[in-house]
Amino acid sequence: MVRPETLVALVGAGLLVLYIAMSYALYRRAFVPARPTFLDDFTFTPFEFQADYEEVELVTADGLNFGAWLFRQPGSPQTVIVSGGHKGQRQGSLGISAALWRKGFNVILYSYRGMPGSDRAPITFGIKEVLELQAVIAFARKRIANARIGLLGYSMGAVVSLLGAAGEPGVQALVLDSPFSDLRALLIENVRRAIKLPGSPFVWLADCMLWLRTRSWMSECSPREVLSSLEPRPLFFIHGGADEITSVNHSRRLYDAYRGPREIWIVQGAPHTGAYFADRPLYVERVAGFFARHLGLDVSGHLRLVEEEEVS
């Protein structure tokens, strides 16, 4: 017969193992890139969009190699740098990139560390990925005469854009699609939603695992803490009203906290980063129009009139 104290010890040990396993699963899902597969080489490129482009290989300040595509508009200084989402590949943003290129912008679309076409490294939700963005900005300034730079970011890429622009005063305008306001808060919300338990203990242990691997803490990824560094540059927040991954409240918090010029567009019924797919033409017009106004590009012959009822 098992003694009561032994049973308690076994149950406690089992719960501890389960807690560690679930925290490690969270860590892997959030911070470990997917393993490379042979299908990584079978992807679309700007070639499929008949764009004038070139493949670029860049290096971060910490020595990681990563790939980028430059959509070229000779003679135009207006440049949009596109940052994709969590574990996303650059071809996932080809649609909007090609559309902005056709409007007259230079466009640079790049891969993060750990993604196909780049050196393998842990994901940090923007803490380290800012180094890729900094390398792209430096490349744009070197390659494009008198570059006027705007940033377009999706989900994690919106956070990379916010963190990166805070240290780059030359960035003139940002479009932020589905950003989160604080990484730790976001993960706690998602854990609670997924397993119906308090998320803080699991996120705390995953945070420790992140620090052991990267010497970075989740607290370093809090976009709301850098907002004052962006003033008075214009920000355009876009968010799906039905986003179940990053609540629309994250964009609302950032919008409410920012003291510079800002706009917000909530697309009712759209899921996470789904505003583009809800109405591609309207999305392109609004994003291109925002960048045209703030980067000084005359696209009057390329933009249709957006009716007021379309943007509610």
Side-chain angles (χ1 to χ4, degrees):
M1 182 176 179
V2 179
R3 297 171 60 185
E5 55 268 31
T6 302
L7 182 60
V8 170
L10 289 173
V11 171
L15 290 174
L16 179 61
V17 170
L18 181 61
Y19 166 59
I20 294 172
M22 293 177 69
S23 299
Y24 180 66
L26 170 63
Y27 166 78
R28 284 195 58 86
R29 183 166 183 174
F31 302 108
V32 177
R35 293 184 179 277
T37 73
F38 74 95
L39 291 175
D40 292 339
D41 294 326
F42 296 91
T43 59
F44 288 109
T45 73
F47 171 82
E48 276 74 30
F49 292 82
Q50 299 182 337
D52 178 14
Y53 82 102
E54 65 181 89
E55 186 90 30
V56 179
E57 295 295 327
L58 300 173
V59 182
T60 64
D62 60 347
L64 290 178
N65 298 284
F66 67 101
W69 290 315
L70 167 61
F71 292 72
R72 298 175 293 208
Q73 283 286 2
S76 175
Q78 289 80 16
T79 304
V80 176
I81 298 172
V82 182
S83 302
H86 177 248
K87 295 192 180 182
Q89 299 185 31
R90 54 181 150 156
Q91 60 267 25
S93 300
L94 272 171
I96 185 62
S97 298
L100 291 173
W101 170 73
R102 292 192 181 100
K103 296 292 186 185
F105 298 94
N106 297 287
V107 179
I108 305 176
L109 178 56
Y110 68 99
S111 297
Y112 298 119
R113 59 190 61 210
M115 298 297 102
S118 304
D119 288 346
R120 191 167 177 82
I123 297 165
T124 63
F125 276 86
I127 300 169
K128 301 289 188 183
E129 287 83 358
V130 165
L131 298 176
E132 280 92 284
L133 178 56
Q134 290 172 347
V136 173
I137 291 172
F139 166 76
R141 287 176 174 153
K142 180 179 179 180
R143 183 63 182 276
I144 301 166
N146 303 310
R148 298 175 61 84
I149 297 173
L151 305 181
L152 167 59
Y154 291 91
S155 189
M156 186 185 89
V159 172
V160 172
S161 299
L162 283 163
L163 298 177
E168 291 282 353
V171 171
Q172 294 177 261
L174 293 84
V175 176
L176 308 159
D177 191 321
S178 311
F180 56 83
S181 58
D182 180 84
L183 176 57
R184 193 169 184 276
L186 174 72
L187 294 181
I188 289 172
E189 290 170 8
N190 276 272
V191 170
R192 186 186 302 120
R193 184 184 304 114
I195 63 175
K196 312 303 180 187
L197 291 173
S200 296
F202 302 97
V203 172
W204 176 83
L205 187 53
D207 198 8
C208 294
M209 295 174 184
L210 175 66
W211 185 84
L212 289 172
R213 183 68 177 85
T214 68
R215 292 302 186 266
S216 299
W217 293 105
M218 292 183 194
S219 59
E220 298 174 55
C221 190
S222 183
R224 63 189 177 196
E225 299 298 328
V226 304
L227 287 177
S228 61
S229 301
L230 299 171
E231 299 171 10
R233 288 170 282 179
L235 309 184
F236 182 16
F237 296 95
I238 303 174
H239 217 112
D243 192 335
E244 295 184 352
I245 296 174
T246 303
S247 165
V248 67
N249 292 328
H250 283 268
S251 275
R252 292 191 186 279
R253 290 185 202 114
L254 293 170
Y255 175 84
D256 290 341
Y258 190 57
R259 293 296 172 257
R262 77 261 201 245
E263 304 174 30
I264 189 167
W265 179 24
I266 307 301
V267 181
Q268 299 304 325
H272 188 61
T273 65
Y276 172 79
F277 300 98
D279 189 333
R280 290 170 174 84
L282 177 59
Y283 188 96
V284 170
E285 301 307 317
R286 294 211 68 184
V287 170
F290 177 84
F291 281 130
R293 291 194 302 274
H294 298 293
L295 300 183
L297 178 65
D298 181 8
V299 293
S300 57
H302 301 280
L303 290 172
R304 65 182 176 87
L305 181 64
V306 178
E307 301 294 341
E308 187 67 28
E309 61 268 19
E310 291 184 293
V311 301
S312 58

